[in-house]
Amino acid sequence: MSTNMLLNKIVRPSRNFVKLGRQSKRLCSTHVERKKSSDNSNGLFTEEHQQLRDTLKKIIDKEINPYVDQWEQEGQFPAKKVFKTLGNAGLLGVTKPTEYGGLGLDYTYSVALAEELGNINCGGVPMAIGVQTDMSTPALAKFGSDKLKREFLAPSISGDFVSCIGVSEVGGGSDVASVKTTAVKKDGDYIINGGKMWITNGAQADWMCLLANTSEGPAHRNKSLICLPMNLPGITVAKKIDKMGMRCSDTAQIYFEDVRVPQDHVIGEEGMGFTYQMLQFQEERLYGAAATVQPLDNLIASTADYCRQRKVFGSPLLNNQTIHFRLAELSTEVECLRSLIYRSVGDYVSGQDVTRLASMCKLKAGRLAREVTDSCLQFWGGMGFTNEVLVSRFYRDFRLLSIGGGADEVMLSIICKYMNTLPKPPKQN
């Protein structure tokens, strides 16, 4: 089936320049013009990518942004409702196989959607969507059995299921090899015991892509990924974690006590879970970086607009060279990040291992997000310290980027490994 035929499944809204901004209670609204993908000179995106973005933009404007403030106050967005809307539009499985409801497109389409999700007025909803599309399902789509794909992947693509990824634990997050949760074979089942921490979508999920120890072997070869229904006896969502940022995305602590799941729920080969998870991390980190670019562009533009209107000593604040030079520097850095992402995605689509580049994207996105939000908040002055403007929300939300999905220090270690500069442990006598 051709790309155009696949895209005909999707409703195509009229194409307008996007005016994105959040009306604050005491300020005029800020409008930011979105860059059209056709402006990209590297040829990564086409008109078909733009059609997908236009479809998503219509949903964001109608079904998401009008309710973000409410969801932030409530501490949770209705994932099942939002995901079903996205699933009906064909947006939860753009790279997934067509026989399970996906569009079967290449990863550049996921990146285009990740960028467009950056026009949502918070970080929590795009993160939750990314967990569904690029974190909990890639290994299942690539290595899972037909039975598992029909039971778990297809309803995740259609939006009937909400998924989560169970890797981090109380005693370890970025150190994936150290997870302690066990899945012991007994009478054709696995008996699962342990717990998971910091689980995005955990309070609303229908199933979890669980990483657990299935044998006593070496740490890198004793783990498996398991499709775990979240309604089984012995699963307890202990609490919904109260976070500094990403307020509308539920994050749970979950315990497992003698949970029985059939052994055929293992994704791919038993003992390959660590390897599969490392492969999933490539898409997770590329997605996370791509979803960062548009919000940073928007924040820089809205800050420039605010400083243009704000008068200090009779002159627009933007006339201060410190400010307009700083915004120019930040805009340049965002373009550098975008180019790094596009280069990485191009290599990934061509079949190359992009672990090094994806780690660079993740590292740069997290650090740049902190830099942009901090600088822009400073230029908003007292208003930046309120909850009435988006810059303060993204200042909180984007602090997670240097922690979740692999901390900055882990990304640096991966990069050093590929540079052959990582110190080797001393040989034991």
Side-chain angles (χ1 to χ4, degrees), residues 190-223:
Y190 282 112
I191 309 299
I192 299 171
N193 285 280
K196 295 296 177 179
M197 189 70 167
W198 319 116
I199 305 304
T200 301
N201 298 344
Q204 302 184 72
D206 296 286
W207 71 281
M208 173 186 287
C209 180
L210 172 73
L211 184 68
N213 297 307
T214 51
S215 73
E216 298 292 335
H220 296 86
R221 296 195 295 273
N222 73 337
K223 294 170 176 57

Side-chain angles (χ1 to χ4, degrees), residues 170-184:
V170 172
S174 296
D175 183 8
V176 176
S178 70
V179 301
K180 304 301 182 185
T181 298
T182 60
V184 179

Side-chain angles (χ1 to χ4, degrees), residues 82-382:
V82 172
F83 285 12
K84 186 58 180 173
T85 299
L86 294 169
N88 288 341
L91 300 176
L92 292 180
V94 294
T95 64
K96 303 301 191 292
T98 56
E99 56 265 39
Y100 304 104
L103 297 182
L105 303 173
D106 66 47
Y107 195 70
T108 61
Y109 288 85
S110 282
V111 172
L113 292 185
E115 283 193 2
E116 193 61 46
L117 286 169
N119 281 317
I120 295 176
N121 290 341
C122 67
V125 175
M127 179 177 68
I129 295 170
V131 167
Q132 180 98 344
T133 60
D134 290 74
M135 302 177 200
S136 61
T137 54
L140 174 59
K142 292 176 182 175
F143 305 108
S145 66
D146 178 71
K147 177 181 179 294
L148 288 181
K149 290 176 184 177
R150 296 196 182 281
E151 187 174 350
F152 295 99
L153 181 62
S156 298
I157 292 172
S158 66
D160 293 306
F161 275 7
V162 174
S163 65
C164 62
I165 177 77
V167 175
S168 295
E169 299 180 353
V170 172
S174 296
D175 183 8
V176 176
S178 70
V179 301
K180 304 301 182 185
T181 298
T182 60
V184 179
K185 289 181 177 180
K186 184 177 181 180
D187 300 329
D189 292 333
Y190 282 112
I191 309 299
I192 299 171
N193 285 280
K196 295 296 177 179
M197 189 70 167
W198 319 116
I199 305 304
T200 301
N201 298 344
Q204 302 184 72
D206 296 286
W207 71 281
M208 173 186 287
C209 180
L210 172 73
L211 184 68
N213 297 307
T214 51
S215 73
E216 298 292 335
H220 296 86
R221 296 195 295 273
N222 73 337
K223 294 170 176 57
S224 301
L225 287 176
I226 301 171
C227 291
L228 180 66
M230 290 294 288
N231 61 354
L232 295 177
I235 298 178
T236 302
V237 179
K239 67 176 180 179
K240 191 172 70 171
I241 299 168
D242 186 15
K243 309 185 301 297
M244 178 181 82
M246 303 292 190
R247 299 285 301 173
C248 67
S249 171
D250 64 279
T251 307
Q253 182 178 12
I254 300 172
Y255 292 117
F256 312 111
E257 184 176 358
D258 294 332
V259 179
R260 301 185 73 101
V261 63
Q263 291 179 23
D264 64 5
H265 278 42
V266 167
I267 296 173
E269 298 180 36
E270 185 183 88
M272 288 293 292
F274 183 89
T275 300
Y276 294 159
Q277 187 55 44
M278 292 302 104
L279 294 175
Q280 283 194 139
F281 276 150
Q282 291 193 30
E283 293 193 7
E284 174 179 344
R285 289 163 183 166
L286 290 174
Y287 174 94
T292 305
V293 172
Q294 191 63 51
L296 298 185
D297 270 342
N298 292 347
L299 288 176
I300 293 168
S302 63
T303 299
D305 188 59
Y306 174 75
C307 291
R308 187 176 290 110
Q309 298 175 43
R310 183 81 164 90
K311 297 292 180 64
V312 177
F313 305 118
S315 179
L317 193 59
L318 189 62
N319 286 1
N320 188 308
Q321 188 182 75
T322 299
I323 294 177
H324 59 249
F325 272 18
R326 180 58 175 155
L327 293 179
E329 290 174 341
L330 295 174
S331 183
T332 301
E333 290 296 316
V334 173
E335 287 301 323
C336 290
L337 172 60
R338 180 181 280 110
S339 295
L340 177 60
I341 293 168
Y342 289 175
R343 185 264 174 104
S344 304
V345 171
D347 286 356
Y348 184 64
V349 170
S350 69
Q352 299 182 45
D353 177 8
V354 295
T355 301
R356 179 180 69 93
L357 289 175
S359 301
M360 289 178 172
C361 289
K362 169 75 166 56
L363 175 68
K364 182 63 176 177
R367 291 187 168 182
L368 183 58
R370 289 151 63 189
E371 187 178 2
V372 170
T373 55
D374 184 69
S375 292
C376 288
L377 189 148
Q378 181 70 25
F379 298 150
W380 280 80

Side-chain angles (χ1 to χ4, degrees), residues 174 363 367 370 402-403 406-415:
S174 296
L363 175 68
R367 291 187 168 182
R370 289 151 63 189
S402 288
I403 302 172
D408 281 1
E409 293 74 20
V410 174
M411 298 303 100
L412 288 167
S413 293
I414 294 171
I415 296 166

